[in-house]
């Protein structure tokens, strides 16, 4: 274990935001500009702008969204 349990929310938000932003910014950069020279630089710019926003959205939004989604789940009989 690297982090105490009290940091679980932050660790989850960090990992999830890195995962999502890496994939989404790469896909969107490829769709918008194609495999042209400078792709890595364009992707990196999109990544470092989007990552802090995604981190905060996940950090503060995930608990609310999880409880909202839980209301849609049918409880076992």
């Amino acid at each position: 274990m690297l982090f105490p349990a009290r940091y679980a929310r932050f660790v989850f938000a960090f990992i999830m935001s890195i995962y999502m932003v890496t994939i989404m910014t790469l896909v969107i950069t490829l769709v918008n500009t194609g495999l042209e020279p400078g792709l890595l630089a364009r992707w990196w710019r999109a990544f470092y702008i989007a990552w802090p926003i995604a981190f905060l959205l996940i950090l503060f939004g995930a608990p609310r969204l999880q409880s909202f989604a839980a209301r849609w789940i049918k409880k076992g009989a």
Side-chain angles (χ1 to χ4, degrees):
M1 173 173 63
L2 297 175
F3 299 98
R6 69 178 181 264
Y7 295 117
R9 204 172 121 213
F10 297 99
V11 173
F12 171 77
F14 179 80
I15 293 169
M16 185 65 161
S17 62
I18 292 287
Y19 172 73
M20 290 297 296
V21 171
T22 298
I23 294 168
M24 293 305 299
T25 55
L26 181 60
V27 167
I28 291 172
T29 302
L30 277 169
V31 167
N32 286 331
T33 63
L35 278 171
E36 299 293 324
L39 172 66
L40 191 58
R42 290 189 308 277
W43 166 77
W44 176 247
R45 184 169 191 273
F47 178 87
Y48 81 76
I49 291 170
W51 179 77
I53 297 165
F55 176 75
L56 292 174
L57 287 172
I58 293 169
L59 183 64
F60 295 112
R64 289 176 184 87
L65 291 171
Q66 286 170 332
S67 64
F68 178 71
R71 286 186 251 151
W72 289 32
I73 306 300
K74 200 181 280 189
K75 305 284 190 256

